[in-house]
Amino acid sequence: MVTHVPAEEQGDERGALLAFLEEQRGGIRRALLGLTEEQARTRPSASELSLGGLLKHVGEVEESWIARARQEPPAVERDESNWHETFLLVGDETVASRLAYWERVAAGTERFIRSAPSLDDTFPLPPDPWFPPEGRVSLRWLCLHLIRETARHAGHADIIRESLDGKTAYELVALERAASHADTTP
């Protein structure tokens, strides 16, 4: 844990789940603080992962899961022919544009989860071979899955950032707080 997640109001399970998801999103956003576009696209290890690619991936994944829960097609269709692009900034994509996209996705996730009648409501899983046939999951499962997915990639982001310039998650929290303080100081 790098930042503290405040306790939810008594009985606000949705608030708690969304707060933990936001805390993990923050880890990925912080990993990009102060980097150039070139640094965000750099792959400092044998892996194909870059910070810009991770940013793009988590935004697309979150959007696609909320679309599934709404039983709508995702905004970006991925299959074997273009799956590799989920981890790459391509064309005119920038860190700023992907951060803005993810911010819109996160706001939509918040609205959807808060407005759902129950976290026990379910939706069908897609007919992909890695899901059980005719499987269904709850909105609670969805929230936990998004936390897990985002946390996994926040850990990747920590390692990539430290490989780029040595900055650790704790240093990035301090940097973010200093920048936030500077923005509010007249």
Side-chain angles (χ1 to χ4, degrees):
M1 177 183 85
V2 176
T3 60
H4 176 72
V5 178
E8 75 279 10
E9 293 293 320
Q10 184 65 30
D12 183 15
E13 180 182 12
R14 294 167 204 242
L17 292 167
L18 291 166
F20 275 91
L21 177 56
E22 180 54 31
E23 190 257 348
Q24 293 304 314
R25 288 185 194 120
I28 294 172
R29 286 192 306 265
R30 279 188 298 279
L32 290 153
L33 278 176
L35 294 181
T36 65
E37 285 292 323
E38 182 180 341
Q39 288 171 310
R41 292 170 188 261
T42 299
R43 298 182 309 231
S45 72
S47 166
E48 290 291 315
L49 296 179
S50 69
L51 289 171
L54 284 173
L55 170 64
K56 179 178 178 178
H57 176 72
V58 293
E60 281 189 12
V61 165
E62 185 171 333
E63 187 282 328
S64 71
W65 274 104
I66 296 301
R68 282 184 186 113
R70 289 185 167 137
Q71 298 183 48
E72 301 170 354
V76 179
E77 293 284 347
R78 294 284 178 202
D79 59 28
E80 286 125 21
S81 70
N82 65 1
W83 177 251
H84 67 283
E85 289 181 3
T86 188
F87 287 103
L88 293 172
L89 295 179
V90 295
D92 62 354
E93 293 176 333
T94 63
V95 169
S97 72
R98 298 314 296 188
L99 283 168
Y101 168 77
W102 197 19
E103 188 175 322
R104 291 188 303 273
V105 167
T109 298
E110 174 102 12
R111 282 190 305 276
F112 178 72
I113 295 300
R114 290 219 179 262
S115 68
S118 171
L119 290 177
D120 294 326
D121 290 351
T122 65
F123 62 95
L125 290 169
D128 296 322
W130 46 86
F131 293 124
E134 299 179 31
R136 296 185 72 82
V137 292
S138 69
L139 294 184
R140 181 178 295 100
W141 181 95
L142 168 64
C143 290
L144 293 167
H145 177 72
L146 289 175
I147 293 165
R148 176 182 68 180
E149 174 82 8
T150 308
R152 179 173 184 252
H153 292 310
H156 293 140
D158 284 344
I159 293 166
I160 293 169
R161 178 59 189 258
E162 197 167 342
S163 297
L164 288 173
D165 65 4
K167 286 206 173 35
T168 66
Y170 291 103
E171 290 171 289
L172 293 168
V173 167
L175 236 148
E176 179 184 52
R177 288 186 178 150
S180 176
H181 179 70
D183 290 344
T184 59
T185 305

